[in-house]
Amino acid sequence: MVEITRSIPVAELLSGVTLDSREGNPEALCRVTDVCVDSRNCSEGSLFVPLPGDTADGHFFIEHALKKGSALCFVNRQFFHKHKEKFFEFQKKYSALFLVVPDSLTALQDLARERMRRMANLCVIGITGSNGKTTTKEILGSILKSYDSTAINPGNLNSDIGLPMAALAVEDSHRFAIFELGINRPSEMDILVDIIRPHAAAITNIGNAHIGPLGSRRAIAEEKRKIFRFLAPEHAGYIFEKDDFVDFLQEAGEGIKTYGPASTPDYEGFQDLGLEGSIINWRGHAIAFPLIGSYNVINALCAISLALEIGVSDDAIIDGLQKVRPLFGRGMVLEGGITVIQDCYNANSDSMFQAIEFVDSLSLTGRKILILGSMKELGADTYIEHRHVGFRAADSTADIVFFFGEESAAAYDAAQENRGGAQEPEFYLLLDFCELKKVVSDTVRNGDLVLLKGSRSVELERLMDTLKKSV
């Protein structure tokens, strides 16, 4: 559910939406207070947007939304005509108004697009990239919140459904709005960037996340650079100075700059504090930055560059860097008898390498244990990318490495083939979660450091209870 702090007249809300017809009670709802795509969240004043999905069609939950209090619903044209008699019943029973549209998802996106167009004084920042975009968004969000009223799309509401929902939540009082844009198919960026039209933007990097649907890293770069399409003349787009596609991305147009250790203004280096984060030296200040890993320092440099671009004060930048905290499953350090780095919200080979490299950099008295889950959406590169991870794990300073999931068999085989280093970790391959849970429980002990890293669908956070009980 997206709450709208100022209830909006229906006519204003729908001004950018293409309607086939209005069916039912025209006075059912005069003002909208929230927009829902889940009928369970509906209440009086809700506009319900039913969306067809892979496992369920939201249209079959329209009556549930009406029972919860919603009196206004979008309906796909095809669905309405197929079930017209049912909607006549709903009209009489609930005195509801149904807005028949060619496509309910497009209608949701049109709602958000029109909402953003009406906010003439809002400065919009867009962030995309294969890795680090969510964390960079959170760092910049922390900085801007220290400066002025700022909207940030929650979590990773960055898709063709999540982004419009986040845009609808922006308030008239906000001066800044930061949006993360995620893609997993060709032409999706066209839709997303047209909804928010960012004045300033950044691409954190071009990696192999979602390479399956897009086909190649160059295709990913071509899609992601569309984020620069609507840059304001007075602002710039940013790309990482050492990205493999930096020259190609700069071809997107004028006003594309780089960020990084060599190009972010007045950056003076950093000191790695391990599990405590880093000290970032900038403009004569030693800033205590709590996010772990040198890769997050790079994300911070992106946020600093964007903040300077839109005129944020030094004090707000320093304050925001100090206050930022990791989101769930993104480099969270959970200390106790067993220290856990919970970095299992998502994974591809680039982020796997970064996580393993960070663990390698730590000087510890206890054992280092890597629990590496399968990486999804790699398409034809699935086998080779898992092998790369296996080779890297074999070279790590870990004592034990658990590979989990069918795709991870390739990583396990590669690790076994690469045996012979100074550390020579123990390797295990497990395909069943219950078996993984038992073996981990039997293996870990007080003083261990455990890295959980895998794709979202693997849900390695399910091991947390086991790890807590194993102390």
Side-chain angles (χ1 to χ4, degrees), residues 129-141:
S130 297
N131 299 301
K133 57 183 176 293
T134 302
T135 301
T136 303
K137 175 204 67 179
E138 292 298 318
I139 299 170
L140 182 60

Side-chain angles (χ1 to χ4, degrees), residues 234-250:
E234 67 274 19
H235 291 315
Y238 284 86
I239 53 181
F240 180 49
E241 61 193 27
K242 292 186 178 179
D243 194 89
D244 293 343
F245 290 86
V246 63
D247 293 335
F248 177 73
L249 295 173
Q250 285 187 310

